[in-house]
Amino acid sequence: MPLNSVPIQPASLSVLEPVVGEDRARQIVSAADEISRGLSGRSVINVNSTAKGGGVAEMLLWLLRYIRGAGIDVSWYVIEGDAEFFVLTKRLHNMLHGHEGDGARLSAQDADTFREVSLRNSEELRAVVKPGDIVVLHDPQTAGIVPEMKELGAKVIWRCHVGTADESDLRQEAWQFLRHSLEDADAFVFSSKEFVPNWIDEDRLTVIPPSIDPFSTKNRPMSADAARSILEYTGIVQGNSHLPVPEFTLADGSTSRVNRMADIVRTGPAPTADIRFALQVSRWDRLKDMQGVMESFAEHVDGERATRLVLAGPVVTGVADDPEGGEVLTECIEAWRELPHFERHRIQLVCLPMTDIDENAAIVNALQTHAAVVIQKSLEEGFGLTVTEAMWKGKPVVASAVGGIRDQIVDGESGLLISNPHDSSEFGAAVQSVLDDDGLAARLGNSARQRVKDRFLGDRHLMQYADLVRKLA
Ligand code: UDP
């Protein structure tokens, strides 16, 4: 069973300066130098469960480029597991969010599966990890690797991107399952303090909210025409032969183009590009509540004004560690078929190609750039990078007040928060209020962009990592 190594293209930290300013840029360069000296030849090895799809892969993709660009020997490996393992880890993921998932409980057989897959991956990691190296293991899928890496003499950081503030039996059961693997980790990183179980002591805890890279394919500025051209090529809006080829710029400044179309469920032809749309981009995951967005939009957002809804997610074979995608998409399509014809006509379900990760990112960028309002109606959320991405593009965001979304949006200032994510009418009314009032939409969007600039860009994230690595090294 091979462990997959993900290539990392180094990027220079100096490119951040025009966005974050001279002071912030100088601080981060000197922190990186200091770490590089502190590590003195030791490596930093990241391990997670997928190279594409979902927030963790999204973040590692750019964060590790800058770290390598700063001269630090950093690498990224993706574990292998069978279907049984990923069904189990998806259940753990749901339970840590306080939800049932597939409804099964954790059994002795599950513990065996978890141990076996963790051991097999650890065997592979032994070939690349040396004593003293820093190993950063991400999320429950990698928790079973902690004891093996400790035994090898590595310093182990376990980083958890999921959770909920609510104490529940499900959450406790999941922590109980993971706890004995995790107890010896040298450090724990959580996206939010609220997610931390009470057996983790303060000394080993660091809270680091995720962040985005303003120069990634997904977040770099895209002109309205470039966005339209991509949306037309993929079939999401109606074609206009006068537009240029659907080109986009990659993180390293080179250009590429979109070559694949999206898989789309809708009635009739695509809407024209002048028709405004509300957008939710997410994995097909029940906790993202795509179906709830659809029903709330159909029932509570004014149909007369011709606004459309786009629900976009990856093709369901595209995310290796997420076995529920196909099922959730099927449920959404069935619910869509149940809607009255007029409502069906206003809503399209879109699966984005995942073969080329930059092409996928460019389509997401185009969708977020073109959207009139961005929704994130999650029932639980570790952080919600889709919220950060839309805020950075100056979009008004309507999102549930759950998990890390509450750290990002100040309600009424940098977006609108819905206190009860199950309240479909409150959601619909908030979306409508933004669609009806361009002034409000612009105010929310401007302050959202500023908030991301102040708090959720990569330099802050890298500085926090630097502190942690300094402590451990
Ligand atoms: N995403 C994507 N293509 C898709 C759907 C989602 O690139 O078809 C990205 C999205 O833009 C974001 C990430 O996947 O960067 C999702 O991260 P988030 O924190 O919102 O949720 P998670 O999937 O980690 O629960």
Side-chain angles (χ1 to χ4, degrees):
M1 184 189 58
L3 193 66
N4 296 304
S5 159
V6 185
I8 302 169
Q9 289 262 336
S12 167
L13 285 166
S14 61
V15 300
L16 289 171
E17 188 178 322
V19 175
V20 301
E22 223 176 286
D23 279 356
R24 275 166 66 170
R26 201 173 325 108
Q27 278 173 27
I28 178 65
V29 170
S30 68
D33 285 348
E34 197 185 323
I35 300 181
S36 181
R37 281 196 302 275
L39 284 170
S40 55
R42 286 172 291 179
S43 309
V44 180
I45 294 135
N46 282 264
V47 185
N48 81 324
S49 56
T50 181
K52 54 186 182 180
V56 179
E58 173 70 25
M59 210 173 59
L60 290 178
L61 203 64
W62 63 263
L63 190 64
L64 303 187
R65 279 188 196 138
Y66 285 121
I67 296 180
R68 184 168 283 181
I72 295 163
D73 179 19
V74 67
S75 52
W76 176 8
Y77 293 92
V78 172
I79 60 164
E80 281 280 334
D82 49 21
E84 201 183 336
F85 175 77
F86 286 124
V87 166
L88 163 63
T89 55
K90 181 74 194 205
R91 191 182 313 146
L92 284 165
H93 169 100
N94 282 319
M95 289 171 79
L96 289 177
H97 276 308
H99 283 250
E100 276 215 328
D102 64 2
R105 295 281 59 84
L106 300 167
S107 64
Q109 159 92 36
D110 291 330
D112 290 343
T113 304
F114 195 66
R115 204 169 21 248
E116 274 164 33
V117 175
S118 304
L119 277 175
R120 288 208 302 270
N121 282 290
S122 301
E123 283 303 310
E124 297 279 328
L125 279 168
R126 278 174 187 274
V128 292
V129 176
K130 302 178 299 300
D133 283 348
I134 294 185
V135 179
V136 190
L137 301 169
H138 296 265
D139 275 340
Q141 295 92 332
T142 65
I145 298 172
V146 173
E148 301 298 313
M149 295 300 104
K150 283 296 296 174
E151 195 193 290
L152 204 67
K155 296 276 185 194
V156 179
I157 300 171
W158 186 68
R159 183 161 186 183
C160 183
H161 301 264
V162 297
T164 175
D166 297 332
E167 272 300 344
S168 69
D169 292 348
L170 290 165
R171 180 178 177 247
Q172 282 210 0
E173 190 184 333
W175 280 124
Q176 203 51 42
F177 185 93
L178 295 169
R179 179 174 175 171
H180 82 274
S181 298
L182 293 173
E183 257 166 351
D184 289 338
D186 296 285
F188 294 91
V189 177
F190 279 77
S191 302
S192 165
K193 177 116 199 205
E194 291 180 336
F195 302 164
V196 184
N198 56 17
W199 49 267
I200 290 179
D201 45 279
E202 286 278 334
D203 293 352
R204 287 188 292 165
L205 174 66
T206 307
V207 174
I208 307 184
S211 60
I212 58 164
D213 175 26
F215 296 102
S216 67
T217 310
K218 187 171 290 170
N219 292 311
R220 55 191 307 133
M222 185 180 268
S223 71
D225 269 0
R228 265 180 69 169
S229 161
I230 290 175
L231 297 182
E232 288 186 1
Y233 188 85
T234 48
I236 298 166
V237 304
Q238 220 170 91
N240 163 354
S241 54
H242 304 304
L243 281 175
V245 290
E247 270 184 353
F248 58 89
T249 310
L250 285 90
D252 65 3
S254 63
T255 50
S256 184
R257 59 158 290 170
V258 170
N259 286 303
R260 294 173 186 80
M261 294 177 201
D263 294 350
I264 302 175
V265 176
R266 70 162 171 256
T267 56
T272 51
D274 56 328
I275 296 179
R276 298 185 305 167
F277 65 69
L279 169 75
Q280 178 163 303
V281 182
S282 291
R283 286 177 300 105
W284 301 99
D285 178 318
R286 285 191 189 84
L287 296 182
K288 306 292 182 182
D289 200 21
M290 293 285 230
Q291 188 174 332
V293 179
M294 182 164 71
E295 287 164 354
S296 146
F297 184 86
E299 203 173 336
H300 301 288
V301 177
D302 187 358
E304 298 308 313
R305 297 199 179 210
T307 312
R308 304 294 174 93
L309 172 68
V310 175
L311 294 176
V315 285
V316 289
T317 48
V319 185
D321 64 345
D322 190 356
E324 284 175 4
E327 225 172 89
V328 174
L329 174 62
T330 304
E331 285 165 14
C332 280
I333 295 174
E334 275 164 15
W336 176 83
R337 287 195 204 291
E338 296 292 312
L339 293 173
H341 185 273
F342 175 72
E343 299 304 342
R344 271 206 313 280
H345 174 65
R346 298 205 293 145
I347 297 168
Q348 47 180 331
L349 307 180
V350 178
C351 289
L352 305 177
M354 291 289 285
T355 314
D356 171 349
I357 203 66
D358 278 304
E359 179 185 62
N360 176 275
I363 304 171
V364 172
N365 191 342
L367 281 165
Q368 290 168 336
T369 300
H370 192 79
V373 51
V374 172
I375 300 171
Q376 193 58 54
K377 190 182 175 299
S378 304
L379 305 179
E380 299 288 342
E381 193 60 77
F383 183 70
L385 283 174
T386 49
V387 170
T388 335
E389 290 157 7
M391 290 171 75
W392 176 243
K393 294 176 182 86
K395 295 292 159 177
V397 179
V398 176
S400 318
V402 294
I405 295 176
R406 283 176 305 169
D407 299 330
Q408 299 192 61
I409 293 179
V410 179
D411 185 29
E413 215 177 284
S414 42
L416 298 181
L417 287 178
I418 303 308
S419 52
N420 176 2
H422 297 278
D423 188 337
S424 136
S425 66
E426 197 188 347
F427 237 101
V431 170
Q432 188 75 61
S433 71
V434 175
L435 289 169
D436 284 348
D437 184 343
D438 291 346
L440 172 66
R443 267 197 312 284
L444 295 175
N446 288 339
S447 114
R449 183 172 167 92
Q450 187 60 42
R451 189 160 168 88
V452 173
K453 184 172 171 179
D454 293 344
R455 293 173 184 238
F456 301 115
L457 293 184
D459 61 324
R460 186 268 307 150
H461 197 144
L462 284 159
M463 296 289 284
Q464 286 186 286
Y465 245 123
D467 278 347
L468 179 59
V469 171
R470 204 167 17 223
K471 256 200 309 202
L472 288 181

